[in-house]
Amino acid sequence: MADTPTTAKAPENQKGEALLSQWNESSLVKTLCLAFGALITIIALSWAIELPLKLGFEWLDEQAMVACFGLMLVIVFIRYPAGGGKERLSVPWYDMILASLGAGAACYLLFIYGDVELNPFEMRPKMFWVSLIFLPLTWEALRRTAGISLTMIFSVFVIYAFVGHLVPGEMFKGVEQEPYRLIAELGTNNASLLGLPLKIIVLTVVLFIWMGQLLLHTGASEWFTDLAAAMMGRSRGGSAKIAVVASGFFGSISGSAVANVASTGVITIPLMQQAGYDRKTSGAIEAVASTGGQIMPPIMGAAAFLMAEILELEYTEIILAALIPAALYYLAVFVQVDLEAAKNNIAPLPKDRIPLMRRVMREGWFFLLPYVILVYTLFSLNLPPQESAFWAAISVAVVSIVFGYKGKRITPAQLWDSVAASGRSSADIIAIGAMAGLIISILDRTGLGQALTLLLASVGEDSIFLLLILTALVSILLGMGMPTSAIYLLLATMIAPSLVKLGIHPISAHMFVLYFGLMSMITPPVAIAAFAAASLSGAKPMETGVTAVRLGWIAYVVPFIFVLSPALLWQGTPYAIAEGAITAFIGVWFGSCGLIGYMFGPQGTIGRILLFVAGIMLLLPAEAIPNGLLINGIGLAIGVIWGTKDYLANPKKKPVPEASSGE
């Protein structure tokens, strides 16, 4: 009998030991990923301020890229299981081998890269063996991080590089490649895997991700929400307007619509539901506002800097180009949430939940300083984007230490965590950047890029509209589920050059693919940002996606307009820019009234159709279509006449009741 208690407790002890063992293994995996992630961020920081050069080391940018690429491989094979899933408790032996192979090949290439640059012919045998390791590891890293669809696209390009010359017909027949030389150069050449996409991500995008992490750790997302509440809480539908403003502010720097939904949506979605918005609408508003942050200057989820580098334009030109379309996007969302509130009698926030503006500004005014520093260093000092991002990010930490938000200052542990988390989260984008560089090289080597241009030209020979529709659909398909910078890199690599060769303005072409790539975030059947918001709101995912498409309707229309007439992208005479902007803003208001079914009062079917048609007629660029001014004028007349009739029919609306404090 004395042995009975021991026998009874043994299974519990074994279970506890197993759980403790799992926890220890999981903690080790997380620690390793954070440590290697921190190294990625530290390398990006060092290059931003040219620290190696100041210390007397004449290292090349490609060596930093190789180091970060190798660290990415280690993080991916440690963190992501081969069979799918987000996290795991331990690392199997085969993934340890893959991680070691990637790290070893990267260290070796890092050591010999100076010789590779000076004498690639003599170093080709060594380049071949390094590439033979890098290429399959890149494929597998891409599969684990971006999913099978993007990996299959990548596979098609790689296979084409080797067998493209066997393709029948003339249009898609590629230039024959020598396999040995092709493999050697794909994995080690600075116009291939180590090309411009990877360079921009490692040396610029990582720093903006770090800035976003610092803002998260210092409480900036909470302050942006409080600021939006102080600005918008007293108006009808104030809760939804808070979501739009807060998500727009924070989304610009987050670099991911889904991450933005997750960080701000936990606050804004319940707030909207308490005010009276239904589940699908509250989720859709958050998804659309978070996605719009990726096109909002000055950062645009880091896409602005990528576009400036790829197009070889001044950063200021990209910001000006993005300004009017982004304003139109948020105007459409604002008008619709406001009219939705009027239509459904949704109250402002309760008074006790609206913070005083002076208190909000007193508590967190210093969060504006990093933006001021970023703009000042970019525009006045003309510093490179990576150096500007460095000083802006440093200022976030400094103001938190000096001032603190609500009595809390960033701690050394939080500072380290921001460094580690930004590098770890950059791993996915680095894998896509490597893939983009490889695709660019294959398109150029085989002549496939020219073939794609000819194909698009044949499609658009009779109709530029049909060409743009096809491009939009392909952009939405290719953009599914990826961060903003990754979406843009992929589309700028594969599609935008063909549009430019067909005569479309370069900025228009690149903005077009960026917009439609981002719209994959809210466009069913994938709509990953809308589905993330649906999980927070409790709505059906597909209903949330459909509502998000309606709220973000202008983003599906404006890209066609600025392709026909770049005036909305600040390209043209001051008169053309002003005329295009004014008619577009009025058109967005009319069109949104038609879609929501409310202007000064509820609208029937005829009213909705008339208002939407009037909005589209005003959005059409006058100089790009026959009788453009006449069409704009007719649209304005329809909208004004119907609006006047509607106003006279609803001369005095009862004020929206204020929610009680107990709601």
Side-chain angles (χ1 to χ4, degrees), residues 69 72 76 138 141-142 145 198 426-436:
F69 178 76
M72 176 275 294
V76 168
T138 302
L142 192 66
T145 56
L198 188 62
S426 300
D428 299 13
I429 308 176
I430 291 173
I432 294 172
M435 178 212 67

Side-chain angles (χ1 to χ4, degrees), residues 552-572:
W553 72 274
I554 192 62
Y556 298 91
V557 175
V558 163
F560 289 91
I561 296 168
F562 60 57
V563 165
L564 295 175
S565 172
L568 287 182
L569 298 180
W570 221 274
Q571 306 294 313

